[in-house]
Structure formats: C-alpha cells, structure tokens
Amino acid sequence: MTGILQDRTVQRCIEDCLHCYRTCWSMAFSDNLQRGGAHAEPGHLSLMLNCAQLCETTARFMLSASTLHTELCALCAKVCGACAQSCAQLEGMEACEAACRACAQSCREVAGFELPGTFTIDQLPTTGVQGGPPRQGIMG
Amino acid sequence: MTGILQDRTVQRCIEDCLHCYRTCWSMAFSDNLQRGGAHAEPGHLSLMLNCAQLCETTARFMLSASTLHTELCALCAKVCGACAQSCAQLEGMEACEAACRACAQSCREVAGFELPGTFTIDQLPTTGVQGGPPRQGIMG
Amino acid sequence: MTGILQDRTVQRCIEDCLHCYRTCWSMAFSDNLQRGGAHAEPGHLSLMLNCAQLCETTARFMLSASTLHTELCALCAKVCGACAQSCAQLEGMEACEAACRACAQSCREVAGFELPGTFTIDQLPTTGVQGGPPRQGIMG
Amino acid sequence: MTGILQDRTVQRCIEDCLHCYRTCWSMAFSDNLQRGGAHAEPGHLSLMLNCAQLCETTARFMLSASTLHTELCALCAKVCGACAQSCAQLEGMEACEAACRACAQSCREVAGFELPGTFTIDQLPTTGVQGGPPRQGIMG
C-alpha cells in the first residue's frame, strides 16, 4: 500500500465517505420516498442522491491513490454540508444529517482546512426547478 | 427502514460487498499497477476492477431496497469467485482474495443458495484478448 | 482497440445501455419526482434508478473488455424489461419505456439469445415493502 | 423535462462528459494496459480512470437536475485538462486527449467561464507515489 492510503486522515475520510454514501442512498429509498411530502420533494431527494454519489466518487478517488482528491474533498464537504442542513429541516433524518456532518468534517481535513463550515440557509443553492421550492430542501 | 434492509443477511452482504469493492479497487492501483508483470496483466486487472464495480452496484441495489437484488447477488458471487481464484495465483494478493471469498459467500446466502462454489481453472472465463493470456488472470 | 469492443453488437449495446441509463436517471428526477403520485411510488422509482445504475455498470463491463459481460447483459435485459413494463402503466413515460425496450433487446443479443422476453405482470418482482404496493410499479 | 436539462449548454456538456467517460475508460483497458510501459504507468492510468469516473459523476449531477453541478463542472474541467495533457505525452492517445479537451471546454462553459485553461506541466499534480514518477503521467 502506497501514498495517500497510508495517511490516517485519508483512511478515516474514505470510511466516512462510504458511510455517508450508504446512509444517504438507503434513507432516500427506505425513508424519504416512503414518507412522501417534504421528504420526497425533488430538490431534497436530488440533493441526497447526488450527495451519496459524490461521496462514493470521492472515496473512489482516494482509493485509487489519485493526487486530485483534495479539491474533490473540498467540494464533497460543501455538498455534504448542504445535505446536512437540508436534512436538519425534516423529521427523522438525524442519521443522514450526522453522516453528512461527519463526512464534511473528514473531507475538510483532507482538503487541508478545518473551518466550522456548514452553509447558512441563505447560502443553500437554489433548486433551479421552475415553480418548485426556491432552495434545496426548503419547502415552505 | 423497511423491507430487505432489516434482514441481517442482507446487512452483512452490503458490508462485504463494500469491503470487497474498496479492497479490489485500491489494491488494483496501489499494488497491482505498482508491481507490474502478472499483477498488471490486462485480463487480471480488468477482472479486479470489474469485480469492484459489480460489488459496488450490488450493494447499491440492496441499499435501494430493490427486489431485483437476488439475481445480481448470484452473479456477483460468481465474479467474486473468479477474482478470488485469479488472485490466488499471484503473490501478495491474500487480502483481495479473502475479501472476494467473503463477499462471494455473503452473496450466495442472499441469493438463496450456499454452494461451495468457486470456479475451477477450466471454468474461468477466457480473456477475449487477441494474443493475450487465454484466461482471466492466467499468465503462463 | 481489442476484443469485444470491435464487435458491432457490443458497440450498439454500449450505446443503448448508456442511453437507457441517462433516460431513466434523468426522467426519474425531472418527471417522476415532479409529478408525484404513482410516478413517484417507491417501488417504481427504485426500479427506474436501479435500472439506470445496472445499465451504466453493464456498459462499463463491456467498455473494460470484460469477459463476464454476457451474464450481466442477460440480467440487464431482465431488469430493463421489468422497468419498461412498469413505465408502460404510467402516462408520459414513453421515452423511458422505449429506451428500456431497446436496451433489453441489445442486451439479449449480446447475451446470446433473442427471446421476445418482457415480463408479464405476474412475473414482475414484488416490491418487498411492508404495506406498500405488491409489485414493482403497480399501484392499484 | 425541467430546469437545467432544457439548457443546450448543459445538454452538450452531458454528451461530452459521457463521451469522455467511455473513451477514457475503454482506452485505459484496451490500449494502455495492453501496451504497458509508460501507457500503464500507475499515475497516468489512475488519472485516466479517475477522469472517467468524475466525468460520469458530473453527467449524473446534471441528469438529476442538481443545482450543485457548476462547481463539479469546474473541477471536472480541471481533471480533464490534466488528463488531456498527460495523454498528449504518449503515442496513440489522440482520441482520449481530444475527448478530454472537448469535455473540459463544455464543463468550463457550464461552470460559467471560458478560460483557455489547461495545466502547464508544472501545474500537473504530483503522483504522491513513493519512488514513482514525480507527476501524473510523466515518466522521464
């Protein structure tokens, strides 16, 4: 085993990314779609599934000893932060929120900065869906 | 959490699939490509990376509470079995071989059968590479 | 370029798999989640996203010149057939149904058989969701 | 179909990302691993496979109407630029180089800037492999 995979920070980040991937992905199907309503709002569900996908890709970059993983980790931290905040506004999403926050923190450490760093509501990206909710995960 | 995700056999299979995915994927880059020679033989490396990819997809099917996962598990068991046998012929691939065997066993249990079930050499698929080695992972 | 990638049947199958992947995936987000109701029923949506995922993985196996692609193509044909039939029961899903049928046909050709081969309703897999619809994509 | 998927720039970017994904992925297996030597150097091969993976994820973000795709496109443009430059130093990699350059250009347009924007050699990331080549894709 060579390079970045020997780094403990990277090892924990891979763990956290894969945990966040499986939590977001499975909760999207098992909880959000079952509950419907705000839990299945397209902007929120898209955010959860894309967060899962990006976590998996970020883990894969580290697993393949890429040297381009730091910027991907920085972006992954941002998306996980947005997903955590979106989940925080819904009931029963504590596990997903926690997984996202842990992954965001690990990714920030690998990326080389450790800011407190979650979005405020105003910084959440807009959904871009015409006639839909203005921001990812915001219904009201 | 609903459906198959509450099943302990499925839970362990997801764990084993994700462990096999990360082991195969990272060893392909960190060990096989570094060593070169038989370890980087295209048929073998393709098998390792495809095995990793299929394990990840199989886990994803279970995580999304698909009802189509049993057949995918059966196929994943087969590919993991082939990868384990291919790794067994190379030095230093014990971790990958073990991850593949464990994943194959878990997948067989989810698929509903528990055969001893690894390929014999004669059953290993041909590489299909013109002028290349006749079978996946066989050099000599 | 070597091996299976020179085969025209394989080339078309890769095209059809990637087209089916992007059609299923994008319609799931842009159409199904927006419409809600039967279109966003968990069993159906899970089927569409898993179908997309399997098509992408099947294409990837062929792109990496795997010799294990034929069985994956056979399974992909089955899942695409189930997705096509599930889509046929909903309004406005013609593009997804067509992509699934085309992909199923290409996959069957690569897998070495050309059966008519879509599921009948009775053969659709159960959703496995407690209290949910009995079968993938069936609401009533 | 709603939101960003109606944007022609996004549509072309999805096409270019998926084309770059399949070109990088298939050439890695069919050409690079077969040729060996500098073509199969771990840093270069890792870059090609990670580039493929990131292109696929970037396309997926756009397909799922994510509002977080612009930053991913900016990063994808950067990785594609690095891969194009790494390929330019090897014989017979013109198709991969061209796919990477086209994808980088489309990604920059979606990300909102159209800089000339490929790396110079000095900006290529180091491989991080102990005793290996100093930079991604540089052998000598």
Side-chain angles (χ1 to χ4, degrees):
Chain A
M1 204 167 67
T2 53
I4 65 165
L5 286 175
Q6 291 174 320
D7 184 305
R8 276 180 186 274
T9 311
V10 168
Q11 287 168 8
R12 197 181 54 205
C13 192
I14 292 171
E15 287 290 347
D16 289 343
C17 281
L18 291 179
H19 180 67
C20 191
Y21 149 58
R22 62 186 284 184
T23 305
C24 286
W25 191 267
S26 65
M27 287 192 77
F29 287 99
S30 298
D31 295 79
N32 294 57
L33 281 172
Q34 300 289 333
R35 287 166 181 254
H39 285 79
E41 183 260 318
H44 177 69
L45 208 62
S46 161
L47 180 55
M48 281 183 72
L49 293 174
N50 277 321
C51 180
Q53 180 69 22
L54 189 60
C55 287
E56 199 280 302
T57 296
T58 302
R60 197 178 286 227
F61 262 59
M62 289 184 279
L63 289 169
S64 41
S66 167
T67 56
L68 300 159
H69 63 286
T70 51
E71 289 187 68
L72 194 55
C73 284
L75 181 56
C76 191
K78 210 165 168 180
V79 174
C80 285
C83 193
Q85 185 164 346
S86 191
C87 287
Q89 300 168 44
L90 298 168
E91 276 185 41
M93 299 297 294
E94 292 79 11
C96 194
E97 184 189 350
C100 288
R101 289 202 192 283
C103 188
Q105 177 61 22
S106 288
C107 281
R108 277 192 298 271
E109 286 174 27
V110 171
F113 53 94
E114 295 184 50
L115 305 175
T118 43
F119 285 103
T120 66
I121 290 281
D122 291 347
Q123 292 170 320
L124 268 183
T126 56
T127 60
V129 176
Q130 296 167 341
R135 295 188 181 284
Q136 292 272 19
I138 315 291
M139 287 301 284
Chain B
M1 204 166 66
T2 52
I4 65 166
L5 286 175
Q6 291 174 320
D7 183 306
R8 277 180 187 276
T9 312
V10 168
Q11 286 168 8
R12 196 179 55 206
C13 191
I14 292 170
E15 288 290 346
D16 289 343
C17 280
L18 290 178
H19 179 69
C20 192
Y21 150 58
R22 63 186 284 185
T23 305
C24 286
W25 191 267
S26 65
M27 287 191 75
F29 287 99
S30 298
D31 295 80
N32 295 56
L33 280 172
Q34 300 289 334
R35 287 166 180 252
H39 284 79
E41 182 261 318
H44 177 68
L45 209 62
S46 162
L47 180 55
M48 280 182 73
L49 292 174
N50 278 319
C51 180
Q53 180 69 24
L54 189 59
C55 287
E56 199 280 302
T57 296
T58 302
R60 198 178 285 228
F61 262 59
M62 289 183 279
L63 289 169
S64 42
S66 168
T67 56
L68 300 159
H69 62 287
T70 50
E71 290 186 69
L72 195 55
C73 283
L75 182 55
C76 190
K78 210 164 167 180
V79 173
C80 285
C83 193
Q85 186 164 347
S86 191
C87 287
Q89 299 168 45
L90 298 168
E91 275 185 42
M93 299 297 294
E94 292 77 12
C96 195
E97 184 189 351
C100 288
R101 289 202 192 285
C103 188
Q105 177 61 23
S106 287
C107 281
R108 277 193 298 271
E109 286 174 27
V110 171
F113 52 94
E114 296 183 48
L115 305 175
T118 44
F119 285 102
T120 65
I121 290 281
D122 291 346
Q123 293 169 320
L124 268 182
T126 57
T127 60
V129 176
Q130 295 168 342
R135 296 186 181 284
Q136 293 271 21
I138 314 291
M139 288 301 284
Chain C
M1 204 167 66
T2 53
I4 65 165
L5 285 176
Q6 292 174 319
D7 184 306
R8 277 181 185 274
T9 311
V10 168
Q11 287 169 6
R12 197 180 55 205
C13 191
I14 292 171
E15 288 289 348
D16 288 344
C17 280
L18 290 179
H19 179 68
C20 191
Y21 150 58
R22 62 186 285 183
T23 305
C24 286
W25 192 266
S26 64
M27 287 191 76
F29 286 99
S30 299
D31 295 81
N32 294 55
L33 281 172
Q34 300 289 334
R35 287 166 181 255
H39 285 79
E41 183 262 318
H44 177 68
L45 209 61
S46 162
L47 181 55
M48 280 182 72
L49 292 174
N50 277 319
C51 180
Q53 181 69 23
L54 188 59
C55 286
E56 199 280 304
T57 297
T58 303
R60 199 178 284 227
F61 262 59
M62 290 184 278
L63 289 169
S64 41
S66 168
T67 56
L68 300 159
H69 64 285
T70 51
E71 289 187 68
L72 194 55
C73 284
L75 181 55
C76 191
K78 211 165 167 179
V79 173
C80 285
C83 193
Q85 185 164 347
S86 191
C87 287
Q89 300 168 44
L90 297 169
E91 275 185 42
M93 300 297 294
E94 292 79 11
C96 195
E97 184 190 350
C100 287
R101 289 202 192 286
C103 188
Q105 177 62 20
S106 287
C107 281
R108 278 193 296 272
E109 286 175 26
V110 171
F113 54 92
E114 296 184 47
L115 304 175
T118 44
F119 284 103
T120 65
I121 290 281
D122 290 347
Q123 292 170 321
L124 269 183
T126 55
T127 60
V129 177
Q130 294 167 343
R135 296 187 181 284
Q136 293 270 22
I138 314 292
M139 286 301 284
Chain D
M1 203 165 67
T2 53
I4 65 166
L5 286 175
Q6 291 174 320
D7 183 306
R8 276 179 187 277
T9 311
V10 168
Q11 286 168 8
R12 197 180 55 205
C13 192
I14 292 171
E15 288 289 346
D16 288 343
C17 280
L18 291 179
H19 180 68
C20 191
Y21 150 58
R22 62 185 286 185
T23 304
C24 285
W25 191 267
S26 65
M27 287 191 77
F29 286 100
S30 298
D31 295 80
N32 294 57
L33 281 172
Q34 299 290 333
R35 287 166 181 253
H39 285 78
E41 182 262 318
H44 177 69
L45 208 62
S46 163
L47 180 55
M48 280 182 73
L49 292 174
N50 277 320
C51 180
Q53 181 68 24
L54 188 59
C55 287
E56 200 279 302
T57 297
T58 303
R60 197 179 286 225
F61 262 59
M62 290 183 277
L63 289 169
S64 41
S66 168
T67 57
L68 301 159
H69 63 286
T70 51
E71 289 187 68
L72 195 55
C73 283
L75 181 56
C76 191
K78 210 165 168 180
V79 174
C80 285
C83 194
Q85 185 164 349
S86 191
C87 286
Q89 300 168 46
L90 297 168
E91 276 186 40
M93 299 297 294
E94 292 79 11
C96 195
E97 185 190 349
C100 288
R101 290 202 192 284
C103 188
Q105 177 61 21
S106 288
C107 281
R108 278 193 297 270
E109 287 175 26
V110 170
F113 52 94
E114 296 183 49
L115 305 174
T118 44
F119 286 103
T120 65
I121 289 281
D122 290 346
Q123 293 170 320
L124 268 183
T126 56
T127 60
V129 176
Q130 296 167 342
R135 296 188 180 283
Q136 292 271 21
I138 315 292
M139 285 302 284

